[in-house]
Amino acid sequence: MAAPARIRRRSSASPVFVGLLFASPWIIGFLIFQLYPILASAYYSFTDFNLFQSPTWVGLENYRALFQDDRFFKGLFNTLYMTVIGVPLGLVLALLTALALNTPSRLQPLYRSIVYLPTIVPIVAATYLWRWILNAQYGYMNLWLGRLGLPQPLWQEDALWTKPALILIGLWMIGGTTIIYLAALQEVPRSYYEAAEIDGAGWWSKFWNITLPAISPVTLFQLVIGIIASLQYFTQAYLFAQTRLNTASGGPGDSLLMYGLYLFQNAFVFLKMGYASAMAWILFLISLAITLVVLRLSKYWVYYEGE
Amino acid sequence: MSKLETFAVTRRTLLLNGGRLGGAAMLAGLGLSGRLGVAAAADAVTLDFPFLWTGPEGDALLKVVDTFNTSQSGIKVNGVSNPDQQRQLAAMSGSKGFDISDSFGGNVGAWASKGILEPLDDRIKKDNYDLTDFVPAALDQQKYDGKLYALPIAAITTALLYNEALLTEAGIAGPPKTTSELADAIAKLTKVDSNGNITQLGLNQPSLSDFAFLFGGEWANDKGEPTPDNPGNIAALNFWVDTVVKKYGVDQIKKFQSGFGEYASPQNPFYTGKVAMTIDGAWQIQFIKEYAPQLKWGAGMLPYVDDKPELAGVSPLTTGMFFIPRNSKHSDEAWTFLKYLVDKPAMLDFTLALANLPARLSLLDDPKVTALPNVDVWLEALRSPNLKSFPNASWAAEYQNELTSSLDAVTNLKKTPEEAMAELAKKMKQIAG
């Protein structure tokens, strides 16, 4: 008796309402924890706000000051360095690794696990580990470079080498990118290769004319994700530049002062929330602009099946 | 099995406590907040007291808290070591935070100017609280804009520590008294092998902002304006550049320093003889006892520049202090506890835990303090009229940060001290207004 009544009641509710009701945990979370902070930070970026006193409206003053702040530009430069050099290098290496892993071998599952392993090491632990590997005097890296008769850079002390050191750590952790490439490689239809082989195509020709175009949507995806992640670069630089008393540091010659690190300093060390909010919005606009350019340019090199 | 046991013990403990507290028994037994139960039953006010100190100092503070809790029934202090300054700041910005905590005197200006700290002047006046026993320079650090915002518990001066064996080996009779003697000692105590690699450094690189004080340098003038280009600061930086950096090479020094072990470990370069002298605080007395008990060491007053003998006894001064945040819900009780914390018995217990210097004049000649080896050097510095500090201003954190970058450029020979400090002066004019 009770069951049909319940069904009747349920069916009387509008499907849109029911749908929204089911999505409400996310919607409420989004409104409170994402949309509101985003809008609030836009407002704070036009104020002088230190967390403790009410914000005072200063108009465009924060933005004006930023463009006269050489550490802002230093942070931007360091971050773009990591993006322009680190991201393509990571993609190329991940693709090469995926190609190698894609060749049939009995030990293939083992090799794949080994490549993926570094990705599951917590990033803080991994960075501390690398601080030791890259220790100029006692580290393994310089020990082997020395044995090979190569120069032994001061990875953590010389402003010229700190960012290459971070890129090196990044390359060690390309397991995730590799796995996605590997999946993409396995999706490329065999028949393309067979047709090319009949036409007498060699290894390079097949790679250049089939593999690369066929996985180009995946490359685009990984490129955009990589750029966005790189523009927010923080943890490894923070840990690398860390000093004994854990004061906010930009490393030797501010060479590790990433955009995100300087934003953090402004917000939580100098308590200049308005200034930090302005920085966050500029970073958002930069990310947006770069992503749009990459997407616009992608029509020249990305091929979708069925087009 | 063991999980069950733990549960049983916890539950029993809760029930026992609850039983003692009558009405709170049910709450505690049901596993509801024990704190709520305690407060409700005994009518005691619970004070939240998270502190940044850890290790032996943290343990010493917890003991002080216990003694306080058993000494009276009106206030129950909930002390917990939480060495996270970001969290501390975040808690003070909300409507609900803690009631009392600790920091360094150098933060008073930055925090008081933003309204984070509760001024203590009215309470001091009302209670007729005696401030004359506090080391005057230590108390001064707790003031901003004429008001007192915190009370000091520990005072930190520095001294020149030296490795006796290495000094004897180099034919140096005692610690250098002037900066020219210091230059001499650094030259004699620094060793370089046939490949140009440094194998022993005369003086561990000191905090150069503190080092400037030995040359009569100051980081702000009497009006409180930043003065990075003060001639004493420039002289100090030039001393370091000429005596160490240019002589032994930027890369060689960095390479040598990269092999230094952790500061608080037996691998500290001073304990292993990699550096012959180092400038540091009195806690080294305790550290050396723990990490390098075999080390034969001595301590001397910091050297001063030859042409300014009036600077004898010069030392930087920093302080450990306690404060009440503006958003404390129980500031009256927090004030009672604050007074207890900086009262003689608690201050002595706390400072002895890691050989800090107490911030009260009457404790400076306490036998327990003076019994510490070589402590007289740090104590003498604390009594000196030449105690110097980094400006306690609203913009201190930014100044410190910019200064770190500038000093980095100097020690990397990217800029001369004159250039770097002139640029910093210009920048600070913008920041400090």
Side-chain angles (χ1 to χ4, degrees):
Chain A
M1 227 16 225
R6 209 163 53 221
I7 288 165
R8 235 192 345 269
R9 206 179 309 135
R10 196 186 285 165
S11 62
S12 67
S14 114
V16 175
F17 176 75
V18 173
L20 284 176
L21 200 67
F22 274 108
S24 63
W26 181 84
I27 294 173
I28 293 167
F30 172 77
L31 292 177
I32 297 175
F33 296 113
Q34 292 199 12
L35 192 65
Y36 169 70
I38 289 170
L39 295 177
S41 83
Y43 165 69
Y44 289 141
S45 77
F46 297 106
T47 65
D48 183 6
F49 179 41
N50 63 27
L51 270 183
F52 297 92
Q53 289 152 328
S54 319
T56 48
W57 184 264
V58 293
L60 287 170
E61 174 56 28
N62 286 328
Y63 291 92
R64 196 195 58 78
L66 269 176
F67 284 100
Q68 291 178 346
D69 181 348
D70 48 6
R71 302 189 88 212
F72 164 78
F73 288 107
K74 185 96 199 177
L76 201 56
F77 168 79
N78 288 334
T79 307
L80 290 177
Y81 181 111
M82 295 301 294
T83 309
V84 171
I85 299 179
V87 174
L89 213 59
L91 284 183
V92 171
L93 196 72
L95 178 57
L96 290 177
T97 316
L99 285 169
L101 290 179
N102 202 27
T103 50
S105 152
R106 221 153 47 90
L107 291 175
Q108 206 182 43
L110 180 71
Y111 295 147
R112 288 180 184 177
S113 308
I114 290 172
V115 169
Y116 194 70
L117 210 58
T119 338
I120 57 172
V121 177
I123 201 156
V124 176
T127 310
Y128 276 121
L129 188 74
W130 276 93
R131 272 176 69 144
W132 279 108
I133 294 174
L134 295 174
N135 183 296
Q137 219 183 346
Y138 299 125
Y140 277 108
M141 182 62 84
N142 279 5
L143 179 76
W144 284 103
L145 288 175
R147 287 192 183 166
L148 296 170
L150 293 168
Q152 298 158 292
L154 296 165
W155 296 100
Q156 295 168 73
E157 293 81 14
D158 187 340
L160 201 67
W161 285 101
T162 46
K163 283 189 287 289
L166 291 185
I167 290 176
L168 201 68
I169 302 177
L171 294 182
W172 180 67
M173 295 196 273
I174 53 167
T177 317
T178 307
I179 292 294
I180 294 175
Y181 261 137
L182 199 54
L185 287 175
Q186 288 168 352
E187 288 296 306
V188 183
R190 293 272 106 215
S191 55
Y192 292 3
Y193 293 112
E194 284 159 12
E197 275 160 21
I198 292 167
D199 289 344
W203 172 85
W204 173 253
S205 186
K206 278 192 284 180
F207 172 73
W208 188 255
N209 293 308
I210 298 171
T211 314
L212 220 47
I215 61 167
S216 59
V218 171
T219 304
L220 175 65
F221 166 76
Q222 307 228 66
L223 181 66
V224 172
I225 297 290
I227 288 172
I228 293 173
S230 181
L231 290 174
Q232 297 174 4
Y233 202 95
F234 182 84
T235 314
Q236 293 95 317
Y238 180 79
L239 296 173
F240 239 57
Q242 207 174 34
T243 53
R244 179 167 64 83
L245 294 170
N246 203 7
T247 49
S249 158
D254 276 340
S255 59
L256 294 172
L257 187 77
M258 298 296 156
Y259 194 96
L261 198 58
Y262 190 44
L263 196 160
F264 171 84
Q265 285 186 1
N266 273 307
F268 301 106
V269 181
F270 312 146
L271 300 176
K272 286 158 71 171
M273 283 295 163
Y275 200 68
S277 297
M279 280 189 77
W281 274 89
I282 290 178
L283 181 64
F284 169 68
L285 294 177
I286 292 173
S287 303
L288 188 69
I290 294 180
T291 310
L292 286 178
V293 169
V294 169
L295 288 176
R296 181 61 61 85
L297 290 177
S298 72
K299 67 177 177 202
Y300 298 108
W301 61 274
V302 175
Y303 303 89
Y304 292 99
E305 239 179 309
E307 270 179 15
Chain B
M1 185 64 193
S2 69
K3 249 186 195 164
L4 275 175
E5 271 169 13
T6 318
F7 174 69
V9 168
T10 315
R11 210 179 128 81
R12 194 177 62 210
T13 318
L14 277 170
L15 282 169
L16 277 176
N17 284 335
R20 208 176 297 144
L21 296 162
M26 238 170 61
L27 283 175
L30 289 169
L32 295 174
S33 165
R35 224 172 70 202
L36 178 76
V38 172
D43 276 337
V45 171
T46 302
L47 284 185
D48 275 327
F49 174 44
F51 46 84
L52 301 175
W53 297 102
T54 54
E57 286 145 319
D59 294 344
L61 263 186
L62 283 178
K63 250 182 235 161
V64 171
V65 167
D66 279 348
T67 324
F68 177 77
N69 282 340
T70 44
S71 73
Q72 44 76 51
S73 57
I75 304 170
K76 180 175 184 316
V77 177
N78 213 345
V80 59
S81 170
N82 189 356
D84 183 341
Q85 200 176 303
Q86 302 306 339
R87 201 183 297 185
Q88 188 187 42
L89 275 172
M92 290 191 286
S93 71
S95 59
K96 192 173 177 297
F98 51 81
D99 299 297
I100 177 168
S101 187
D102 72 296
S103 185
F104 290 99
N107 284 329
V108 168
W111 288 2
S113 65
K114 296 178 178 68
I116 301 175
L117 307 178
E118 180 174 298
L120 303 174
D121 304 80
D122 289 346
R123 296 183 187 280
I124 285 162
K125 214 167 147 193
K126 195 174 145 226
D127 289 9
N128 220 351
Y129 185 69
D130 182 19
L131 293 172
T132 55
D133 192 32
F134 287 100
V135 174
L139 195 66
D140 276 348
Q141 272 195 3
Q142 321 310 325
K143 291 176 186 163
Y144 177 77
D145 218 7
K147 279 185 181 161
L148 187 69
Y149 287 93
L151 289 176
I153 185 159
I156 299 157
T157 56
T158 61
L160 182 74
L161 287 84
Y162 58 92
N163 182 318
E164 274 180 2
L166 295 179
L167 253 69
T168 314
E169 186 192 289
I172 302 169
K177 294 199 163 47
T178 62
T179 51
S180 62
E181 284 178 32
L182 179 67
D184 218 42
I186 291 175
K188 284 182 184 156
L189 289 164
T190 303
K191 292 182 189 167
V192 180
D193 71 10
S194 52
N195 298 322
N197 291 320
I198 299 170
T199 57
Q200 181 181 308
L201 206 53
L203 176 64
N204 201 4
Q205 181 169 327
S207 146
L208 289 176
S209 57
D210 285 350
F211 197 65
F213 298 139
L214 319 190
F215 292 77
E218 299 276 1
W219 296 103
N221 59 21
D222 295 339
K223 282 183 259 171
E225 298 156 343
T227 55
D229 49 359
N230 173 301
N233 300 345
I234 307 269
L237 298 183
N238 274 318
F239 174 94
W240 187 255
V241 167
D242 295 337
T243 319
V244 180
V245 183
K246 283 188 179 162
K247 205 163 158 190
Y248 303 107
V250 175
D251 284 357
Q252 294 296 359
I253 294 169
K254 283 182 175 176
K255 191 175 171 194
F256 185 62
Q257 287 172 336
S258 74
F260 286 2
E262 287 294 316
Y263 178 78
S265 81
Q267 282 74 44
N268 180 310
F270 180 64
Y271 310 156
T272 55
K274 286 189 174 186
V275 299
M277 301 183 287
T278 190
I279 294 177
D280 217 330
W283 56 83
Q284 279 297 341
I285 298 170
Q286 200 62 38
F287 272 35
I288 294 172
K289 201 171 133 193
E290 187 173 338
Y291 298 118
Q294 307 298 324
L295 183 72
K296 296 265 180 291
W297 64 286
M301 304 292 290
L302 295 183
Y304 51 90
V305 69
D306 298 60
D307 58 357
K308 288 189 179 136
E310 69 275 14
L311 278 176
V314 66
S315 168
L317 174 79
T318 44
T319 51
M321 55 75 158
F322 293 107
F323 65 89
I324 303 171
R326 263 278 164 81
N327 65 350
S328 165
K329 293 269 187 265
H330 310 287
S331 53
D332 289 340
E333 289 80 7
W335 167 242
T336 306
F337 181 55
L338 173 57
K339 285 186 288 184
Y340 182 86
L341 278 171
V342 296
D343 205 12
K344 280 202 226 175
M347 184 183 285
L348 190 61
D349 283 348
F350 172 75
T351 49
L352 283 174
L354 208 53
N356 284 293
L357 304 186
R360 281 183 177 274
L361 293 167
S362 59
L363 289 178
L364 297 187
D365 41 22
D366 186 282
K368 281 185 189 152
V369 174
T370 53
L372 297 166
N374 292 321
V375 77
D376 49 315
V377 181
W378 283 279
L379 286 172
E380 195 183 330
L382 191 54
R383 292 192 180 97
S384 148
N386 286 322
L387 288 170
K388 312 277 181 184
S389 299
F390 200 73
N392 202 343
S394 58
W395 31 262
E398 283 136 292
Y399 192 13
Q400 194 86 57
N401 204 266
E402 293 289 348
L403 181 59
T404 306
S405 289
S406 305
L407 293 176
D408 194 70
V410 169
T411 52
N412 281 301
L413 303 181
K414 297 263 190 265
K415 287 175 192 164
T416 65
E418 288 81 358
E419 284 165 7
M421 292 302 118
E423 277 174 31
L424 180 57
K426 231 169 93 188
K427 202 176 270 178
M428 284 313 298
K429 257 204 186 113
Q430 285 178 353
I431 293 175

